[in-house]
């Protein structure tokens, strides 16, 4: 078994299982901890929670998003591209097909290229913001910088591999390895905002809406 | 970073620190992190991506020329992050800094929760730091004194039982200047309304009680006030981090209301007492909501005016503005009713900008003003944006339906020489409902 087969086989399985298992364990752990706080679950309100989430997943849906138009634009496009591209890029579609016989719609190559680059550029934007805006630099740790680099690495390596600028085999291996690390990091770092977001937002929306009759956007 | 603030001497913090050992510090912090906090604390700390987008929400940050040390996330970084990271093994310098930040530079106004993309309750994180400080007995001296008073007398200002009743009787007499049969009925079972106040009213602003007797008479409300403990739920213990005393104060208040079998409780013009009675207190006691409905004075005035039970005979003509108190606006959504009342009473009203849920805190609430004179200059430096916001209205009166806002805004007016007066609605209302002579 050569290195490509290892990273494409067992390593990818580790990534999927690690991600899914990590998220499930975290959710179960937090659900049991939330029960200890007697008022967390009774406070949760579906309508007010949803109201808040909708305002915050809609671009410019909150006062603070409107106050930072560039950040909002970059950030929304970044998150959208980050989530959509891996699911629908042609290269991955081929892998799904080869491995499991699943086939679905894939992105046109140019769109995938642009979206991949947007993730990389968005990451660079976040890095620059972290290092130049005093209020962000003040709370930025080395780990924060590493995490952003980790997040953009699979996209950068994918783009370079696609363009065939360097040794393609090396790039593909690097792409998979960084992608695996990225997925494994999600449950155990602040990348967990990917799934916690729904709960923190819904809870705050419920406290504001159901308890305090106020808006939180 | 402000060196002047760091040099402030506060016996409550400084002498408390001297008594601490590394073992005690670690034990207390671990106790709070492991036993008193659960899902919320952990999820909030894990979710924060350190993006700094909460910064612009904070009046302290804005007022201090956007010094990054005053951003909400920085306040958590400089306190709780360190405690968690070092598993409670922190030194006294960090604790001194934590007490200063948590008690004097954050008023737990919760504006930043509306700016955090994830809705992280940063005020809750800061309150956790206060809790740790309280258990370590490093609380600003003046604030701790109010908690001690709650523990001993059940009210905030060492008001003795006889003084309380005596003040009510004196104010009942004063109210009879307006209505010959005005009363402050004590312990009347089954009344429609129990009226709750906070200790500064009998202690230093007794006329507010007399005013309420006039308003109740004019509207013919069936009301009562308790003659014994449970009348004050101002609850400074909620802000000093002494949650055991906070729970006792709230329980005493609600038990008194239940014993009187009143239909509902009307909370006077105080924001944090309302917060304590409606959610922080019940939450600590494990209740989803208070046992009897409570409304704030603003809602009560709204009802009385809107239903025609109170007739407005003459409006205030001077230009006025209004302070949206955090705990009844961000904390209860009363901003529209507040404006209805203000417009009913005043001819010339100008709003502040920003307003409603987005209004800036007065920097007095959340126990900050109760930290007393040592911290007043720091407080004034933290609230320049409010002074600018008020000055832009051109008003001569700033209406503040909250005791902390009232005192805080009064300080701002003096410090920044704004040439305004500050007024409770209660004071304007008695003038507005007075029937014209002859």
């Amino acid at each position: 078994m050569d290195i490509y087969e290892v990273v494409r086989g067992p390593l990818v399985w580790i990534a999927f299982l690690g991600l899914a298992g990590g998220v499930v364990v975290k959710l179960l752990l937090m659900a049991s901890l939330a029960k200890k706080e007697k008022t967390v679950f009774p406070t949760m309100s579906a309508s007010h929670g949803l109201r808040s989430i909708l305002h915050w997943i809609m671009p410019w849906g909150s006062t603070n998003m409107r106050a930072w138009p560039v950040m909002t634009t970059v950030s929304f496009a970044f998150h959208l591209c980050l989530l959509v591209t891996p699911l629908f890029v042609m290269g991955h579609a081929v892998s799904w097909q080869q491995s499991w016989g699943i086939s679905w719609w894939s992105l046109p190559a140019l769109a995938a290229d642009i979206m991949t680059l947007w993730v990389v550029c968005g990451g660079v934007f976040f890095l620059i913001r972290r290092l130049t805006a005093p209020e962000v630099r003040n709370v930025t740790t080395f780990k924060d910088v590493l995490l952003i680099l980790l997040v953009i690495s699979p996209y950068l390596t994918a783009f370079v591999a696609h363009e065939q600028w360097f040794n393609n085999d090396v790039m593909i291996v690097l792409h998979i390895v960084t992608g695996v690390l990225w997925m494994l990091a999600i449950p155990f770092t602040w990348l967990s905002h990917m799934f916690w977001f729904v709960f923190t937002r819904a809870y705050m929306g419920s406290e504001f809406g159901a308890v305090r009759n106020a808006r939180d956007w | 970073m402000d060196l002047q603030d760091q040099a402030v001497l506060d016996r409550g913090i400084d002498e408390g620190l001297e008594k601490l050992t590394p073992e005690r510090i670690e034990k207390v912090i671990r106790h709070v992190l492991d036993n008193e906090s659960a899902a919320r604390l952990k999820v909030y700390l894990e979710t924060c991506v350190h993006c700094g987008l909460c910064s612009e929400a904070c009046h302290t940050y804005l007022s201090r020329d956007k010094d990054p040390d005053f951003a909400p996330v920085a306040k958590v970084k400089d306190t709780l992050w360190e405690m968690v990271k070092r598993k409670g093994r922190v030194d006294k310098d960090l604790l001194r800094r934590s007490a200063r930040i948590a008690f004097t530079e954050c008023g737990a106004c919760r504006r930043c929760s509306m700016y955090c993309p994830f809705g992280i309750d940063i005020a809750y994180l800061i309150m956790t730091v206060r809790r740790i400080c309280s258990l370590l007995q490093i609380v600003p001296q003046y604030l701790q004194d109010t908690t001690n008073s709650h523990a001993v007398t059940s009210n905030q200002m060492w008001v003795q039982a006889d003084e309380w009743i005596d003040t009510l009787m004196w104010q009942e007499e004063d109210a009879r200047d307006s209505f010959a049969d005005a009363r402050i009925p004590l312990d009347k079972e089954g009344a429609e309304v129990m009226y709750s106040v906070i200790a500064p009213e009998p202690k230093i602003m007794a006329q507010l009680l007399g005013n309420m007797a006039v308003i109740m008479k004019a509207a013919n409300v069936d009301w009562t006030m308790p003659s014994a403990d449970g009348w004050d739920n101002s609850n400074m213990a909620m802000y000093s981090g002494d949650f055991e005393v906070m729970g006792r104060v709230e329980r005493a208040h609600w038990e008194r209301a239940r014993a009187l079998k009143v239909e509902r409780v009307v909370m006077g013009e105080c924001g944090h007492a309302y917060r304590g009675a409606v959610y922080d207190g019940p939450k600590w006691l494990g209740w989803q909501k208070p046992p009897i409905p409570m409304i704030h004075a603003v809602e009560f005035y709204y009802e009385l005016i809107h239903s025609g039970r109170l007739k407005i005979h003459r409006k205030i003509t001077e230009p006025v503005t209004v302070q949206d108190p955090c705990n009844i606006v961000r904390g209860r959504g009363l901003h529209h009713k507040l404006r209805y009342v203000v417009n009913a009473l005043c001819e010339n009203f100008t709003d502040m900008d920003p307003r409603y849920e987005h209004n800036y805190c007065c920097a007095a609430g959340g126990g900050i003003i109760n930290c007393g004179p040592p911290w007043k200059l720091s407080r004034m430096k933290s609230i320049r944006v409010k002074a600018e916001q008020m000055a832009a209205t051109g008003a001569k009166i700033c209406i503040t339906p909250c005791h902390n806002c009232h005192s805080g805004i009064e300080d701002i007016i003096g410090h920044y020489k704004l040439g305004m007066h500050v007024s409770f609605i209660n004071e304007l209302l008695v003038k507005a409902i007075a029937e014209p002579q002859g």
Side-chain angles (χ1 to χ4, degrees), chain A residues 26 33 37 39 42 56 63-64 129-130 135 138 144 190 193 196 200-201 203 207 211-213 215 217, chain B residues 39-40 46-47 49-51 53 55 68 77 110 114-119 283 288 331-333 357-358:
Chain A
K26 283 270 178 180
L33 281 175
E37 295 185 72
T39 52
W56 284 89
T63 305
N64 206 20
R129 182 175 172 273
R130 276 201 183 275
E135 76 277 18
N138 185 37
D144 297 336
W190 56 242
H193 72 267
W196 286 142
T200 52
R201 192 78 261 164
Y203 182 76
E207 267 216 356
V211 182
R212 307 189 211 149
N213 305 323
R215 298 166 301 180
W217 55 85
Chain B
R40 280 186 296 161
E46 278 189 24
T47 306
V49 300
H50 318 159
C51 67
L53 283 169
S55 309
K77 171 201 151 202
R110 301 194 275 212
M114 298 163 50
Y115 287 71
C116 168
F118 310 114
K283 222 174 211 175
Q288 196 183 344
R332 204 56 176 183
E357 291 101 330
H358 291 273

Side-chain angles (χ1 to χ4, degrees), chain B residues 68-121:
Chain B
D69 282 336
F70 293 94
V73 59
K75 294 175 193 170
V76 182
K77 171 201 151 202
D78 289 339
T79 57
L80 203 56
W81 285 9
E82 291 296 313
M83 294 179 188
V84 171
K85 195 168 81 187
R86 298 193 216 164
K87 297 187 166 66
R89 287 188 285 275
V90 297
D91 60 24
K92 293 184 182 181
D93 282 344
L94 183 119
L95 289 177
R96 179 178 280 107
R97 186 174 75 191
S98 297
R100 188 193 76 236
I101 292 171
F103 287 113
T104 74
E105 292 168 6
C106 170
C109 78
R110 301 194 275 212
R111 192 171 191 261
C112 45
S113 313
M114 298 163 50
Y115 287 71
C116 168
F118 310 114
I120 293 174
D121 193 347

Side-chain angles (χ1 to χ4, degrees), chain A residues 8 11 23-24 29 51 61 109 148 155 160 170 178 184:
Chain A
R8 194 186 173 281
L11 208 58
V23 171
V24 169
L29 207 66
R51 190 179 76 158
I148 295 182
Y155 296 84
V160 172
V170 173
T178 51
L184 289 175

Side-chain angles (χ1 to χ4, degrees), chain B residues 238-308:
Chain B
M238 170 173 75
Y239 287 138
S240 75
D242 191 337
F243 298 154
E244 286 79 7
V245 172
M246 170 184 80
R248 270 170 55 199
V249 170
E250 293 308 339
R251 189 185 288 277
H253 174 258
W254 287 115
E255 281 178 353
R256 183 64 60 191
R258 282 297 288 263
L260 291 176
K261 301 185 178 71
V262 292
E263 286 173 31
R264 59 183 181 163
V265 177
V266 172
M267 181 64 237
E269 291 179 55
C270 181
H272 77 260
Y274 186 74
R275 171 178 177 162
V278 173
Y279 31 89
D280 281 35
K283 222 174 211 175
W284 175 260
L285 293 167
W287 304 344
Q288 196 183 344
K289 59 180 187 182
I292 297 172
M294 174 185 256
I295 60 168
H296 186 266
V298 165
E299 284 172 282
F300 187 55
Y301 301 146
Y302 168 84
E303 278 181 20
L304 297 181
I305 297 170
H306 192 252
S307 64

